[in-house]
């Protein structure tokens, strides 16, 4: 099923002026929602990005739950607790004599979807029940 969405890429600097400009551009282009890329520079500016999304009333999905912890609308990304547990198994194997080069490279297999209903209400967005049912965590 085609959703007939148009993606709009807006490049920005992660400084306050650049972020503000990116959100102004998104509003001018009548963007319906935003999604940041998984970049350390955006993670470092998560508080400002979340505030700008609220200011411009733009629904946003982020790559890490820490954005939602700052008041962001929703996140979908790797469950880092699971990754850290799995890394501990690797550390155990290495300490018991396994060669790191002999251990297989693993990709994340567990992801989490978190929704913040307070943030949804703040921008006048109603999240359908079917979407809420799929979330690992719903903040009320």
């Amino acid at each position: 099923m085609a959703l007939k969405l148009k993606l709009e890429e807006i490049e920005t600097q992660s400084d306050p002026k650049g972020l503000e400009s990116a959100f102004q551009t998104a509003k001018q282009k009548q963007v319906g929602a935003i999604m940041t890329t998984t970049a350390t520079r955006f993670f470092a500016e998560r508080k400002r990005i979340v505030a700008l999304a609220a200011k411009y009333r733009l629904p946003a999905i982020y790559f890490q739950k820490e954005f939602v912890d700052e008041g962001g609308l929703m996140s979908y990304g790797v469950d880092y607790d699971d990754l850290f547990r799995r890394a501990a198994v690797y550390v155990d194997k290495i300490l018991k004599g396994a060669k790191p080069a002999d251990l297989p490279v693993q990709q994340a297999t567990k992801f989490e979807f978190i929704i913040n209903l307070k943030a949804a209400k703040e921008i006048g967005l109603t999240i359908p029940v079917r979407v809420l049912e799929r979330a690992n965590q719903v903040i009320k």
Side-chain angles (χ1 to χ4, degrees):
M1 176 174 121
L3 296 177
K4 297 184 181 178
L5 295 176
K6 180 183 177 201
L7 297 180
E8 195 72 54
E9 183 179 5
I10 301 171
E11 292 191 30
T12 184
Q13 298 300 313
S14 57
D15 61 85
K17 187 177 179 181
L19 290 172
E20 182 86 36
S21 175
F23 275 88
Q24 288 172 347
T25 300
K27 230 10 181 180
Q28 288 169 353
K29 292 186 174 195
Q30 298 180 332
V31 168
I34 64 162
M35 179 178 98
T36 61
T37 59
T38 57
T40 306
R41 64 190 176 114
F42 290 127
F43 184 79
E45 292 294 330
R46 65 190 175 278
K47 194 171 200 163
R48 176 111 175 102
I49 292 169
V50 165
L52 286 166
K55 175 183 174 180
Y56 286 92
R57 301 179 56 82
L58 279 170
I61 187 164
Y62 305 99
F63 59 93
Q64 236 171 303
K65 67 181 177 179
E66 284 79 3
F67 285 87
V68 178
D69 294 342
E70 294 290 348
L73 177 62
M74 64 179 72
S75 67
Y76 180 76
V78 172
D79 180 339
Y80 281 96
D81 291 339
D82 180 61
L83 279 185
F84 295 146
R85 274 191 292 281
R86 291 172 52 197
V89 172
Y90 270 50
V91 170
D92 180 60
K93 288 179 181 182
I94 292 166
L95 291 175
K96 289 179 179 172
K99 294 179 184 175
D102 293 339
L103 297 174
V105 174
Q106 293 189 4
Q107 290 187 345
T109 56
K110 190 172 179 187
F111 296 84
E112 56 187 356
F113 179 38
I114 301 170
I115 299 172
N116 182 339
L117 288 178
K118 286 187 237 175
K121 185 177 181 181
E122 189 177 304
I123 62 171
L125 183 68
T126 302
I127 308 285
V129 173
R130 292 182 65 203
V131 174
L132 293 172
E133 290 171 346
R134 292 178 170 261
N136 299 87
Q137 181 184 357
V138 176
I139 299 169
K140 294 181 181 180

